[in-house]
């Protein structure tokens, strides 16, 4: 893509930056309630595992099908704050439906509504970030986003776990709905005038003419983006199943302490992300995207090798901290590389949808394949297989992924 012409420098206000910080934080809060707590809540309502599985599968498939069309919609609609508000309202509404009417048809509607809202929330967060700061400063802004998202996830998980313990699983979803209020307040702090609508969709100067075939052609012409999509798919194929397989192994071998170890393994990497994400954003601008993408894959190989050999709780927790490095790098690199490779096309959010499909496909295939392998060949073999997939992703980046950072002088916005 040809770079945008030099723009007159215009920095977003500190109020808008703080608003986006807290919007990311509270957005992570309201999304956390829709994680593993759903299965626990429905189980407490005497749902069968088959019905729970159907609901979760419908949610996953809906998200995969909606990612790309909703990304295109986010490109087309300039009112990014309005889209964000609709997404927050839909997440809160779906949580209330789940809390008040835990019957199959209503929960199915709630899950699809949540999937739709999530497909809007992710791209619109990236779009607002790009619209606020432009391409030159985007890596730093994304580092801040990743920090607040991780803090939101970790704090909300702890809060909701305590609420479930002392009150009920239903209360989790009532709190999720209530957290929509501070999310709206944070969103209101972002000034509309600070969001450049052209930059927020990748830099195209006008909105008409963004037909689907143009968007697809734009994606397929970008070799760097196609390689990046393949790399992300391999990353998820390796990473998504690693902790669930280890959790199953720990539960079988030592159920008395497995739950605590698993909880630490989920939460601890979030604090690693919060600690290093801003530095990762700055490093992406100094070193480029490709070195960080290689660093992102390396922990997969280390974790898989150690998990294949050891089930010691201290070792498992220590090695799982490496996942925070990968998560911090991806949290910055995914929207950043997409912004690099779609600059000037007007299809930034459409491309976010394409990468989102790769994430979902990789995670779904990874858990299925890993489950089959562990049943047939055991824990050690499946971890070595997952590590091999991660190594394949690293080799792909080394061999074919070009650097996407624009080294020429541009004025950021």
């Amino acid at each position: 893509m040809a770079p945008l012409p030099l723009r007159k420098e215009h920095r977003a206000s500190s109020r808008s930056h703080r608003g986006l910080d807290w919007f990311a934080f509270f957005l992570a809060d309201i999304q956390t309630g829709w994680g593993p707590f759903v299965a626990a809540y429905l189980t407490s309502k005497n749902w069968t595992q088959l019905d729970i599985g159907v609901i979760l599968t419908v949610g996953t498939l809906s998200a995969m099908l909606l990612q790309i069309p909703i990304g295109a919609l986010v490109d087309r609609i300039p009112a990014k704050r309005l889209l964000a508000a609709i997404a927050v309202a839909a997440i809160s509404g779906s949580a209330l439906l789940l809390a008040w009417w835990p019957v199959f048809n209503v929960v199915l509607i709630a899950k699809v509504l949540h999937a739709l809202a999530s497909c809007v929330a992710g791209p619109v967060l990236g779009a607002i970030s790009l619209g606020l700061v432009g391409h030159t400063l985007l890596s730093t802004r994304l580092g801040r986003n990743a920090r607040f998202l991780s803090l939101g996830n970790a704090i909300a998980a702890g809060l909701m776990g305590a609420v479930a313990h002392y009150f009920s699983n239903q209360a989790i979803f009532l709190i999720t709905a209530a957290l929509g209020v501070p999310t709206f307040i944070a969103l209101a702090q972002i000034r509309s005038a600070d969001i450049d609508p052209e930059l927020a969709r990748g830099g195209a100067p006008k909105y008409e003419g963004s037909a689907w075939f143009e968007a697809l052609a734009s994606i397929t012409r970008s070799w760097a983006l196609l390689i990046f999509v393949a790399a992300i798919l391999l990353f998820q194929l390796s990473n998504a199943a690693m902790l669930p397989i280890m959790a199953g192994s720990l539960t079988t071998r030592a159920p008395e302490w497995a739950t605590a170890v698993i909880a630490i393994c989920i939460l601890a990497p979030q604090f690693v992300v919060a600690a290093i994400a801003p530095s990762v954003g700055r490093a992406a601008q100094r070193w480029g995207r490709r070195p960080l993408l290689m660093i992102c894959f390396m922990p997969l190989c280390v974790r898989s090798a150690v998990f294949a050999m050891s089930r010691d709780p201290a070792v498992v927790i220590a090695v799982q901290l490496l996942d925070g490095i990968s998560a911090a790098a991806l949290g910055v690199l995914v929207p950043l590389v997409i912004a690099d490779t779609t600059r000037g096309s007007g299809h930034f959010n459409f491309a976010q949808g394409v990468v989102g499909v790769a994430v979902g496909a990789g995670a779904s295939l990874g858990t299925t394949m890993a489950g089959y392998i562990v049943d047939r060949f055991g824990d050690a073999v499946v971890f070595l297989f997952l590590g091999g997939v991660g190594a394949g992703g690293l080799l792909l980046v080394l061999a074919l992924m070009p650097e996407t950072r624009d080294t020429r002088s541009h004025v950021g916005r």
Side-chain angles (χ1 to χ4, degrees):
M1 298 293 176
L4 290 175
L6 292 176
R7 302 177 62 89
K8 182 179 179 180
E9 185 173 9
H10 174 75
R11 298 290 179 86
S13 66
S14 58
R15 170 185 162 179
S16 291
H17 279 291
R18 288 194 301 270
L20 186 54
D21 289 340
W22 290 107
F23 176 69
F25 177 86
F26 287 113
L27 182 64
D29 283 353
I30 62 175
Q31 289 287 58
T32 299
W34 275 95
F37 296 109
V38 173
Y41 171 59
L42 296 179
T43 300
S44 73
K45 295 297 181 180
N46 299 316
W47 278 49
T48 67
Q49 291 303 308
L50 174 61
D51 285 345
I52 294 173
V54 169
I55 291 295
L56 296 178
T57 299
V58 167
T60 300
L61 292 176
S62 298
M64 289 183 65
L65 291 173
L66 291 169
Q67 288 268 6
I68 295 176
I70 288 180
L73 182 69
V74 174
D75 279 328
R76 299 281 295 186
I77 298 176
K80 302 300 188 267
R81 290 201 317 165
L82 174 62
L83 287 172
I86 292 171
V88 172
I91 294 170
S92 294
S94 63
L96 288 177
L97 288 175
L98 187 61
W100 288 340
W101 295 287
V103 297
F104 187 86
N105 289 339
V106 175
V107 173
L108 187 65
I109 293 170
K111 190 60 179 172
V112 172
L113 181 62
H114 173 259
L116 188 152
S118 297
C119 291
V120 174
V124 84
L125 178 63
I128 291 174
S129 301
L130 182 56
L132 281 180
V133 302
H135 290 81
T136 304
L137 301 177
L138 183 60
S139 60
T140 303
R141 177 64 255 179
L142 292 174
R144 288 176 63 167
N145 287 359
R147 165 173 281 180
F148 280 86
L149 286 167
S150 293
L151 287 173
N153 275 323
I155 292 171
L159 171 65
M160 292 175 183
V163 166
H165 179 74
Y166 290 106
F167 297 97
S168 68
N169 286 318
Q170 182 188 40
I172 290 173
F173 300 99
L174 297 176
I175 288 177
T176 296
L179 285 170
V181 175
T183 312
F184 281 124
I185 293 172
L187 181 61
Q189 302 309 302
I190 304 171
R191 297 174 54 195
S192 293
D194 285 344
I195 304 172
D196 186 312
E198 295 174 11
L199 283 176
R201 62 196 299 262
K206 53 186 178 181
Y207 292 94
E208 60 270 10
S210 297
W212 270 73
F213 73 90
E214 289 184 19
L216 287 170
S218 173
I219 299 301
T220 56
R221 284 195 298 266
S222 175
W223 172 253
L225 182 57
L226 293 176
I227 296 301
F228 184 69
V229 169
I232 293 301
L233 191 148
L234 289 173
F235 179 91
Q236 292 297 330
L237 196 65
S238 173
N239 186 65
M242 205 171 291
L243 186 57
I245 295 294
M246 174 54 72
S249 178
L250 289 173
T251 302
T252 301
R253 294 167 187 262
E256 66 277 4
W257 45 257
T259 301
V261 173
I262 294 164
I264 294 171
C265 285
I266 292 171
L267 290 176
Q270 298 289 343
F271 291 106
V272 174
V273 175
I276 70 172
S279 298
V280 170
R282 292 189 292 270
Q285 195 59 31
R286 290 197 306 269
W287 303 346
R289 294 29 163 168
R290 188 168 174 268
L292 285 178
L293 190 56
M294 289 187 287
I295 291 172
C296 179
F297 277 92
M298 292 175 185
L300 292 177
C301 304
V302 176
R303 288 166 61 214
S304 64
V306 175
F307 286 171
M309 296 183 293
S310 176
R311 302 293 182 277
D312 181 87
V315 173
V316 169
I317 291 170
V319 172
Q320 185 61 19
L321 290 175
L322 294 175
D323 189 46
I325 299 174
S326 297
L330 275 189
V332 172
L333 287 176
V334 168
L336 186 59
V337 172
I338 294 171
D340 290 342
T341 54
T342 60
R343 184 169 186 161
S345 71
H347 301 306
F348 170 62
N349 299 292
F350 180 91
Q352 287 198 83
V354 171
V355 175
V357 170
V359 169
S364 299
L365 289 172
T367 51
T368 301
M369 293 171 62
Y372 173 78
I373 293 170
V374 76
D375 285 342
R376 292 292 301 271
F377 304 105
D379 296 350
V381 173
V382 76
F383 285 125
L384 293 176
F385 166 77
L386 294 174
V389 173
L394 177 59
L395 290 175
L396 175 68
V397 174
L398 280 169
L400 298 176
M401 182 72 193
E403 176 56 55
T404 63
R405 180 187 58 169
D406 191 347
T407 57
R408 289 169 292 182
S409 174
H410 294 285
V411 177
R413 189 186 154 232

